[in-house]
Amino acid sequence: MNASFLSILRQIPTLFRHTVSLAWHADPWALVVVAVAQLGQAAATAFGLLATNRVLVSLFAAGPTADRVREALPSLLWVAAASAFAATLRAVSFAATGRLGPKVERLAGLSMMEQVIRVEMEHIERSDFHAALDSGQHGQTAARRLIEHTLGIVEALMALIAVSGVLAVLHPVLLPLLVAVVVPKAWGTVRAARRTYESVQIWLEHVRQQGALRRLLISQRAAPELRVHGAGPFLLDQFDQMAAQAADEQTRLAHLEARTELATSALSGLTAGATYAVLGWLLTHGQLPLAAGATAALALTSGTAGLRRMVTHIHHLYEQSLFMNDLIRAREEARRRAIPATGAPVPEPPEVIAFDRVTFRYPERAAPALDDVSLTIRKGQVVALVGANGSGKTTLSKLLAGLYLPTSGTVSWDGTDLRALRRDDVFAHVALVLQNFKQWPFTARANVAISRPDAIHDTARLDAAAAYADAHSVLADLPHGWDTLCEKGYEGGVDLSGGQWQRVALARAYFRDADILICDEPTSSMDPAAEIDAFHKIRALASKDQTIVLVTHRLHSVKEADVIYVLDEGRLVEHGDFATLMSADGPQVFRRLFELQSHQYRTDTLDGVPAQRIRSRDAMPDQSPAAGTTG
Ligand SMILES: Nc1ncnc2c1ncn2[C@@H]1O[C@H](COP(=O)(O)OP(=O)(O)OP(=O)(O)O)[C@@H](O)[C@H]1O
Ligand SMILES: [Mg+2]
């Protein structure tokens, strides 16, 4: 946004239109009430000034004082009535503005979030987009303040028109004088607004990082390491340094503002002095009767106050509009990066999902996470993805779910490129247990039912999901069963163990009842019995025609998979069923990994005593107290 003084003045009508349209959408009635109340106030102001003039004319007339006061009395009553009327309307307008503001804020926030929740995963992970979203957050409160300041401007403008009308009747030269008093002030306030906004923009990343640190310092998840590893004082020191830098910036702004304020006040003072000198000249040269002069002085005081109010409101309007502009920009960016709502429908679960020479590169990463991968997944199959850390299993699962689109190559569902399909339909066929699945800070019920929120009150379905994932024992321990809050730090909140959370995640995926179930390390925290049971149940779903994609490092559990895909540094290096991959004349990667793992199990147990303990005792004889005394 161009920020020069004149350009701001030019932008005011647009800002005004934008704000009024926002308010109209939020609450048309409140807007009408405010408009009427403000018109009424302006009329009351003008009427009050004219009545004041009549009071003064009566008081300055010839004759005994008692008669003059008596003469002035009816006009005085009119002044009082006008003032009471204006006060009542001010209250009405205040109440309606109070009603309008929060609604506008809600509408502005909603309009942004509606777009944000549809943004492609790839973009939601980008730092530039996140910075734009953070700037946009300021726009929510800005929307509310925009309304308040726009209405403030209208109110001040109305009052000014009323005062100007009266001044013009008294003497035309008084009008430009009124404006001259306020111009320096206007210039100063706009300058300050621009400085504040520029500072906020430059310091945005700083503020974001400071916010992240603040959250970490009070986070429950970070608390153990913060204490045991001594990370607390370290982070606190960083936080304090950042706070000190921010404080310096605030001081710099305050000093600049004080300087501008001083300069503009001096100029305003000079113009005010000149104005009253002109008024004095008009009176002494008989250009203006004494009563009219007094009214003019009153009108000038009230007029300059109105103008100052208007300038202050314009300053804030401008400042807030810059933030509002950020919100609009973030919203537009989100809309531009959104998952398209259109595409070919996917009414049935796919018979075949095919990856054809798929390469995928994360933004800001040079090496591809998936490199020229071709594979097929058929309906009802159990497909296993195995490979070392970072080999691309999770990435592949996310492409399969339609969360990412390939950088090159295609993922197709029954021959149609994923790009051409309606993505909401694609998602509708998928249930996920992600490696970093979300532990929602909600009740146990919501944690399971969030995969299909419309069925949240279907307790039978919830129970079936819990039974499937063996989560009944977890629920039985919770103080309020399904309705226990699974987040510490809130009233009645509890935390679950790692394995218990995984059961909840599995129950969530089952509750969704989708055609394709993607499980990425679904049992990594489960005890051996639970793990065996979970794998058995996951595989059993395939017999109900569900397609299962299982990512795991537990190679024993993929024995029964229809096909195993082995990834290595993003490339698909082997595939086939277990027997094929294990045959001596076949490829070797899977076999070597499998044998390494099973060898570990075989040699790690000797007559039920973990071999590790035997070895470590044998390996360190010198460190025993006995060895110390003899050696
Ligand atoms: N969101 C992301 N942004 C950038 N790079 C990523 C992202 N997620 C993963 N990567 C990178 O992509 C590569 C593949 O990661 P991926 O998570 O798919 O591996 P994985 O096979 O699931 O590993 P693990 O067994 O450790 O879960 C890695 O080099 C990883 O660092
Ligand atoms: Mg992974």
Side-chain angles (χ1 to χ4, degrees), residues 8 15 148 186 223 258 327 373 430 479 550 589 593:
I8 291 155
L15 285 176
E148 288 160 9
L327 181 141
V373 170
V430 177
L550 182 62
V589 179
L593 284 173

Side-chain angles (χ1 to χ4, degrees), residues 2 24 41 49 51 109 206 243 301 311 320 340 490 498 517 544 567:
N2 188 344
W24 182 257
Q41 272 183 76
L49 272 175
H206 186 93
T301 312
V311 165
Q320 298 304 323
Y490 293 92
L517 174 62
K544 295 201 307 177
L567 289 164

Side-chain angles (χ1 to χ4, degrees), residues 38-302:
Q38 291 192 338
L39 273 175
Q41 272 183 76
T45 307
F47 184 80
L49 272 175
L50 292 176
T52 306
N53 190 42
R54 292 217 44 84
V55 171
L56 294 173
V57 168
S58 308
L59 289 180
F60 292 156
T65 308
D67 288 352
R68 282 186 278 160
V69 170
R70 209 171 301 118
E71 180 76 11
L73 214 52
S75 302
L76 211 52
L77 284 178
W78 278 117
V79 173
S83 155
F85 186 59
T88 311
L89 288 180
R90 218 172 6 257
V92 170
S93 167
F94 187 75
T97 311
R99 197 174 116 160
L100 203 52
K103 286 192 179 174
V104 167
E105 183 175 339
R106 184 178 139 207
L107 195 70
L110 193 72
S111 72
M112 182 168 100
M113 289 308 169
E114 267 171 358
Q115 299 301 327
V116 173
I117 58 171
R118 287 200 58 86
V119 167
E120 291 275 14
M121 276 280 290
E122 190 184 324
H123 292 288
I124 209 83
E125 292 177 349
R126 279 179 188 264
S127 57
D128 59 340
F129 180 58
H130 253 275
L133 285 185
D134 270 4
S135 309
Q137 298 287 331
H138 293 287
Q140 266 185 62
T141 39
R144 174 196 197 133
R145 295 196 187 124
L146 268 182
I147 293 294
E148 288 160 9
H149 296 303
T150 304
L151 296 177
I153 290 173
V154 174
E155 183 267 329
L157 191 70
M158 296 283 190
L160 268 179
I161 292 173
V163 167
S164 309
V166 172
L167 280 179
V169 170
L170 295 176
H171 200 292
V173 82
L174 295 171
L175 263 184
L177 292 177
L178 179 66
V179 177
V181 177
V182 182
V183 165
K185 203 86 191 150
W187 171 79
T189 44
V190 169
R191 211 176 138 79
R194 197 170 63 216
R195 248 189 328 243
T196 310
Y197 175 76
E198 281 166 3
S199 163
V200 167
Q201 288 306 305
I202 293 168
W203 284 74
L204 191 65
E205 197 60 25
H206 186 93
V207 171
R208 291 177 68 207
Q209 287 171 9
Q210 216 185 335
L213 272 179
R214 188 184 297 111
R215 282 193 295 279
L216 282 176
L217 287 170
I218 60 170
S219 146
Q220 287 169 29
R221 304 244 184 270
E225 290 191 39
L226 216 69
R227 281 150 185 74
V228 173
H229 291 174
F234 172 72
L235 291 186
L236 194 61
D237 188 45
Q238 303 275 322
F239 181 77
D240 189 43
Q241 280 178 29
M242 297 189 85
Q245 288 162 354
D248 286 348
E249 170 66 3
Q250 295 298 317
T251 312
R252 184 187 74 88
L253 284 180
H255 283 166
L256 286 175
E257 195 159 342
R259 223 181 296 166
T260 311
E261 172 69 25
L262 193 63
T264 55
S265 295
L267 277 174
S268 278
L270 285 177
T271 44
T275 305
Y276 285 102
V278 171
L279 195 58
W281 186 89
L282 288 175
L283 285 172
T284 49
H285 288 75
Q287 299 282 328
L288 205 61
L290 192 58
T295 310
L298 280 177
L300 275 174
T301 312
S302 141

Side-chain angles (χ1 to χ4, degrees), residues 500-565:
Q500 288 174 333
W501 266 118
Q502 278 193 330
R503 291 177 203 213
V504 169
L506 199 57
R508 182 187 301 161
Y510 184 84
F511 189 83
R512 180 153 173 80
D513 190 23
D515 309 302
I516 302 162
L517 174 62
I518 300 173
C519 293
D520 192 351
E521 295 280 354
T523 63
S524 54
S525 301
M526 289 188 191
D527 63 59
E531 175 165 47
I532 292 166
D533 184 52
F535 277 129
H536 175 72
K537 282 177 168 161
I538 291 170
R539 282 193 298 264
L541 290 177
S543 60
K544 295 201 307 177
D545 245 8
Q546 289 195 21
T547 307
I548 311 296
V549 176
L550 182 62
V551 180
T552 182
H553 292 293
R554 315 289 161 104
L555 302 183
H556 277 270
S557 59
V558 303
K559 271 184 177 169
E560 291 153 41
D562 295 298
V563 54
I564 302 165
Y565 289 110

